[in-house]
Amino acid sequence: MSAPSTFDFSGRTFIVTGGTRGIGYAYSDALAKAHARVAIIYRTRKDDAEKAAKELSEKHGVSVMAFQCDTVNAEQTVRMFADIDKRLGPVTGVIANSAGVSVMKRAEELTNEDFKYVYDVNVLGVFNSARAAQKLWQGREPKNFSIVVTSSISSKIINQAATNEPLRQAFYNSSKAAVSHLARALAAEWAREKIRVNVVSPGYVDTDQTRGIDKNILEHQKKNIPMGHFARPEQITGQALLLLSEHASYMTGGEYFVDGYVGRSHR
């Protein structure tokens, strides 16, 4: 049996984009455990999303629903957020958790199409989610709104495949830097609207995505984590829940690394 949540979000509704797998699923689970109503946004894999929503709803005894939406589509995202607000109750927080796609090529081989693919998902989808939330909250009282953006330690470091051998993913790394700075810009613009925007930047996390990486690369990365292992997805969630809560009511524009102290250059 898991320990009780130290947060209580009873009566509140949160949206989690990409909330069916990996860190996104852990966010959805943590919020439901804290008695929140949760709307899971997914783009594909309808069966997986509905299964996850049902599983979490039954596990925690709260309303968890899955909603299909491509957050790269701005108008669709605005409509979906408004629909969730009506169906589940007033939304007070959003976790913009992009899928974090990458194209692994040498920089000189990257194309315009590669750039659009990576930046549409990693940056534009986050922006559209944040803007849809801001539109939803305009003029609404009480003003206690929070957006948490998932970025990555890759916003600050260049991931290594081996000693002095970078992972060749220039668009991924730069997109994570972009989304972290985007969040700061939104925090500055929306501060007077009492909409807080913060960033959680995980280090290396044990997910289906990372398990597909070459084992030699994984071992090299683990050796550079003082704690000696990749995080479990649930170990990332505490910082996000804090930022969504009243305990963080004076915290905005920050980027918080949950990485087991992976990189010496981003501190």
Side-chain angles (χ1 to χ4, degrees):
M1 177 181 289
S2 59
S5 175
T6 55
F7 296 93
D8 188 351
F9 292 130
S10 298
R12 297 177 62 181
T13 301
F14 296 92
I15 296 173
V16 182
T17 68
T20 63
R21 302 174 63 200
I23 298 171
Y25 180 85
Y27 285 145
S28 301
D29 183 41
L31 286 168
K33 182 179 178 181
H35 315 298
R37 296 183 294 265
V38 184
I40 297 174
I41 297 285
Y42 69 96
R43 187 172 66 88
T44 59
R45 300 193 177 198
K46 179 180 179 180
D47 291 345
D48 289 348
E50 292 182 345
K51 178 182 177 182
K54 182 180 179 181
E55 178 180 283
L56 292 177
S57 184
E58 292 176 350
K59 178 180 178 182
H60 298 295
V62 295
S63 181
V64 181
M65 297 178 65
F67 297 85
Q68 187 170 26
C69 178
D70 182 359
T71 57
V72 174
N73 185 319
E75 293 182 357
Q76 184 184 125
T77 305
V78 169
R79 290 195 302 269
M80 181 56 70
F81 277 38
D83 184 50
I84 291 168
D85 192 71
K86 290 176 182 177
R87 294 179 63 179
L88 281 181
V91 173
T92 60
V94 171
I95 298 181
N97 176 65
S98 78
V101 299
S102 182
V103 174
M104 303 288 285
K105 292 181 181 178
R106 299 178 66 88
E108 62 269 27
E109 297 172 353
L110 290 166
T111 66
N112 289 359
E113 290 73 22
D114 294 332
F115 180 91
K116 180 173 173 53
Y117 169 65
V118 173
Y119 272 71
D120 273 0
V121 174
N122 294 5
V123 184
L124 183 59
V126 169
F127 174 70
N128 286 340
S129 299
R131 184 170 57 178
Q134 187 266 349
K135 287 180 178 292
L136 190 65
W137 295 332
Q138 281 183 315
R140 183 174 291 184
E141 298 287 348
K143 291 185 178 296
N144 179 31
F145 308 119
S146 177
I147 298 169
V148 175
V149 172
T150 303
S151 182
S152 168
I153 57 163
S154 300
S155 70
K156 295 291 184 184
I157 69 169
I158 302 302
N159 309 75
Q160 300 291 298
T163 302
N164 295 325
E165 179 64 33
L167 279 179
R168 301 183 188 280
Q169 51 176 18
F171 285 166
Y172 176 83
N173 288 83
S174 60
S175 74
K176 289 304 181 179
V179 81
S180 293
H181 207 55
L182 169 66
R184 294 186 190 97
L186 299 179
E189 289 198 32
W190 296 342
R192 292 190 179 181
E193 298 180 42
K194 300 298 188 289
I195 298 173
R196 297 181 295 105
V197 187
N198 290 286
V199 180
V200 173
S201 287
Y204 298 115
V205 183
D206 181 19
T207 65
D208 290 342
Q209 184 179 18
T210 56
R211 288 180 203 131
I213 297 173
D214 181 274
K215 289 184 178 180
N216 291 326
I217 295 175
L218 292 180
E219 286 304 312
H220 174 76
Q221 291 172 344
K222 285 179 184 178
K223 287 177 183 178
N224 284 277
I225 303 173
M227 293 187 76
H229 62 86
F230 281 20
R232 302 186 306 275
E234 61 269 22
Q235 290 179 300
I236 307 301
T237 62
Q239 183 66 58
L241 265 62
L242 170 65
L243 294 169
L244 290 170
S245 77
E246 289 77 6
H247 297 293
S249 61
Y250 201 61
M251 298 168 69
T252 195
E255 182 172 10
Y256 302 93
F257 294 91
V258 186
D259 60 5
Y261 191 38
V262 180
R264 286 157 288 280
S265 63
H266 72 279
R267 295 291 175 174

